[in-house]
Amino acid sequence: MKAVFSKLGNDFFSTIIFVVLYFSTGNVALATVVAVIGAVGQFAYARIKGFRLDVMAYASLAMVIVLGGATLLTNDPRFVLIKPSIGHIAVGAIMLRRDWMLRYVPPVVATTIPDYVRVSGYFWAILMIALGAGVIAAAMTGDIKTWTFYVMVIAPAVKVAAVATQYLVFRLAIRSRRRGEAAAAVSMAE
């Protein structure tokens, strides 16, 4: 669990810096400059320490610089605020691939209810794209409190609810299939 929070902290480092500074100072330019410097510093630190950086690390840095530059040029924080939407939408697009989720579920789930897993994979793709659109909508309001509430409360709560619902549906579907197979076996034995 600690590794998950560490990864999330790394992924949202520049966004967290921006939000904290913007809330405490009200200065878009200062918050943006410090967030961009923080992202560049975080990237440089990882390179110096020899950490393996994937394509997403480079893409994230590029987005911070480009969107931060747009925010500075226009004095409009909405450019920085849409950054998380890009990640949501990109992940959602990747999730549109058929059967991507099968490798992430236990073997009993993959073999018993592969059709449910397939549908769930498409559901997750749609959900991630919708959450990305929600980030954009919240950013377009121009109200950072609304955006922060959406990004820090609503989106994670929706994901937790989706995981819980998926778990429950998978469990009930497996139980139902096993009962059906047992009844069929008894019927054939008679």
Side-chain angles (χ1 to χ4, degrees):
M1 189 61 128
K2 184 179 175 183
V4 170
F5 286 115
S6 174
K7 177 80 171 121
L8 284 173
N10 283 336
D11 290 348
F12 286 103
F13 180 71
S14 63
T15 304
I16 293 167
I17 289 174
F18 176 84
V19 168
V20 168
L21 276 173
Y22 186 77
F23 273 138
S24 61
T25 67
N27 188 326
V28 173
L30 175 66
T32 302
V33 167
V34 174
V36 171
I37 290 170
V40 170
Q42 182 184 23
F43 186 84
Y45 176 80
R47 292 284 309 225
I48 290 167
K49 287 294 187 177
F51 296 140
R52 190 179 79 88
L53 299 172
D54 59 10
V55 172
M56 286 305 292
Y58 289 93
S60 180
L61 179 63
M63 283 190 303
V64 167
I65 292 170
V66 169
L67 296 173
T71 294
L72 289 173
L73 287 172
T74 63
N75 199 34
D76 186 348
R78 292 180 290 186
F79 290 104
V80 170
L81 299 180
I82 66 166
K83 180 185 174 273
S85 70
I86 297 167
H88 278 93
I89 293 168
V91 168
I94 291 167
M95 288 178 169
L96 287 171
R97 200 175 85 232
R98 181 181 167 98
D99 292 334
W100 71 268
M101 189 182 272
L102 283 173
R103 65 187 285 193
Y104 297 103
V105 296
V108 66
V109 175
T111 57
T112 309
I113 55 168
D115 49 333
Y116 281 75
V117 177
R118 180 175 301 121
V119 169
S120 185
Y122 290 128
F123 169 78
W124 275 101
I126 292 166
L127 178 64
M128 293 302 288
I129 292 167
L131 289 173
V135 171
I136 293 169
M140 289 300 138
T141 68
D143 180 13
I144 294 187
K145 289 179 184 174
T146 299
W147 176 87
T148 302
F149 183 73
Y150 180 82
V151 170
M152 301 296 196
V153 177
I154 301 293
V158 168
K159 291 175 196 172
V160 168
V163 167
T165 301
Q166 176 181 296
Y167 176 80
L168 181 63
V169 168
F170 282 8
R171 192 163 179 88
L172 292 172
I174 288 170
R175 186 175 295 155
S176 175
R177 290 259 168 102
R178 286 188 169 166
R179 284 185 186 148
E181 290 169 357
V186 168
S187 174
M188 289 183 74
E190 293 175 351

